[in-house]
Short mmCIF file of all heavy atoms in Angstrom, two decimals:
data_model
loop_
_atom_site.label_atom_id
_atom_site.label_comp_id
_atom_site.label_asym_id
_atom_site.label_seq_id
_atom_site.Cartn_x
_atom_site.Cartn_y
_atom_site.Cartn_z
N TRP A 101 -23.53 133.78 -127.57
CA TRP A 101 -22.29 134.28 -128.20
C TRP A 101 -21.67 135.37 -127.34
O TRP A 101 -20.47 135.36 -127.06
CB TRP A 101 -22.59 134.80 -129.60
CG TRP A 101 -21.43 135.52 -130.22
CD1 TRP A 101 -21.03 136.81 -130.01
CD2 TRP A 101 -20.46 134.96 -131.12
NE1 TRP A 101 -19.91 137.10 -130.74
CE2 TRP A 101 -19.53 135.99 -131.43
CE3 TRP A 101 -20.29 133.71 -131.71
CZ2 TRP A 101 -18.46 135.79 -132.28
CZ3 TRP A 101 -19.23 133.52 -132.57
CH2 TRP A 101 -18.33 134.54 -132.85
N ALA A 102 -22.48 136.32 -126.91
CA ALA A 102 -21.96 137.45 -126.13
C ALA A 102 -21.33 137.00 -124.82
O ALA A 102 -20.36 137.60 -124.36
CB ALA A 102 -23.08 138.45 -125.86
N CYS A 103 -21.89 135.95 -124.23
CA CYS A 103 -21.40 135.48 -122.92
C CYS A 103 -20.34 134.39 -123.02
O CYS A 103 -19.81 133.95 -122.00
CB CYS A 103 -22.58 134.98 -122.09
SG CYS A 103 -23.70 136.29 -121.55
N ASP A 104 -20.02 133.95 -124.22
CA ASP A 104 -19.03 132.89 -124.41
C ASP A 104 -17.64 133.49 -124.38
O ASP A 104 -17.28 134.30 -125.24
CB ASP A 104 -19.30 132.18 -125.74
CG ASP A 104 -18.40 130.95 -125.92
OD1 ASP A 104 -17.41 130.80 -125.18
OD2 ASP A 104 -18.71 130.15 -126.82
N ALA A 105 -16.84 133.07 -123.43
CA ALA A 105 -15.49 133.62 -123.29
C ALA A 105 -14.63 133.35 -124.52
O ALA A 105 -13.65 134.05 -124.78
CB ALA A 105 -14.81 133.05 -122.05
N ALA A 106 -15.01 132.35 -125.31
CA ALA A 106 -14.23 132.00 -126.50
C ALA A 106 -14.64 132.80 -127.73
O ALA A 106 -13.99 132.72 -128.77
CB ALA A 106 -14.38 130.50 -126.80
N SER A 107 -15.71 133.61 -127.62
CA SER A 107 -16.16 134.39 -128.76
C SER A 107 -15.18 135.53 -129.05
O SER A 107 -14.44 135.98 -128.17
CB SER A 107 -17.55 134.96 -128.50
OG SER A 107 -18.50 133.93 -128.32
N GLU A 108 -15.22 136.01 -130.28
CA GLU A 108 -14.33 137.10 -130.67
C GLU A 108 -14.74 138.43 -130.04
O GLU A 108 -13.95 139.36 -129.98
CB GLU A 108 -14.32 137.23 -132.20
CG GLU A 108 -13.73 136.01 -132.91
CD GLU A 108 -13.74 136.16 -134.42
OE1 GLU A 108 -13.69 137.31 -134.89
OE2 GLU A 108 -13.81 135.14 -135.11
N SER A 109 -15.99 138.54 -129.59
CA SER A 109 -16.48 139.78 -129.00
C SER A 109 -17.55 139.42 -127.98
O SER A 109 -18.22 138.39 -128.09
CB SER A 109 -17.08 140.70 -130.07
OG SER A 109 -17.78 141.77 -129.49
N ASN A 110 -17.72 140.27 -126.96
CA ASN A 110 -18.80 140.04 -126.01
C ASN A 110 -20.03 140.89 -126.37
O ASN A 110 -20.87 141.16 -125.52
CB ASN A 110 -18.35 140.31 -124.57
CG ASN A 110 -18.01 141.77 -124.32
OD1 ASN A 110 -17.86 142.56 -125.27
ND2 ASN A 110 -17.87 142.15 -123.06
N TRP A 111 -20.13 141.28 -127.64
CA TRP A 111 -21.29 141.99 -128.15
C TRP A 111 -21.93 141.13 -129.23
O TRP A 111 -21.22 140.49 -130.03
CB TRP A 111 -20.89 143.34 -128.77
CG TRP A 111 -20.59 144.39 -127.75
CD1 TRP A 111 -19.77 144.26 -126.66
CD2 TRP A 111 -21.07 145.73 -127.73
NE1 TRP A 111 -19.73 145.44 -125.97
CE2 TRP A 111 -20.50 146.37 -126.61
CE3 TRP A 111 -21.91 146.45 -128.56
CZ2 TRP A 111 -20.76 147.69 -126.29
CZ3 TRP A 111 -22.17 147.78 -128.25
CH2 TRP A 111 -21.60 148.39 -127.11
N ALA A 112 -23.27 141.12 -129.25
CA ALA A 112 -23.99 140.37 -130.27
C ALA A 112 -25.35 141.01 -130.48
O ALA A 112 -25.80 141.82 -129.67
CB ALA A 112 -24.15 138.90 -129.86
N ALA A 113 -26.00 140.64 -131.58
CA ALA A 113 -27.31 141.21 -131.89
C ALA A 113 -28.16 140.19 -132.62
O ALA A 113 -27.65 139.24 -133.23
CB ALA A 113 -27.16 142.46 -132.76
N HIS A 114 -29.45 140.40 -132.55
CA HIS A 114 -30.41 139.67 -133.37
C HIS A 114 -31.13 140.71 -134.21
O HIS A 114 -31.67 141.68 -133.66
CB HIS A 114 -31.39 138.89 -132.49
CG HIS A 114 -32.53 138.28 -133.23
ND1 HIS A 114 -33.74 137.97 -132.65
CD2 HIS A 114 -32.65 137.89 -134.54
CE1 HIS A 114 -34.55 137.45 -133.54
NE2 HIS A 114 -33.92 137.40 -134.70
#
Side-chain angles (χ1 to χ4, degrees):
W101 171 279
C103 290
D104 187 345
S107 298
E108 295 179 28
S109 169
N110 66 346
W111 284 48
H114 171 205

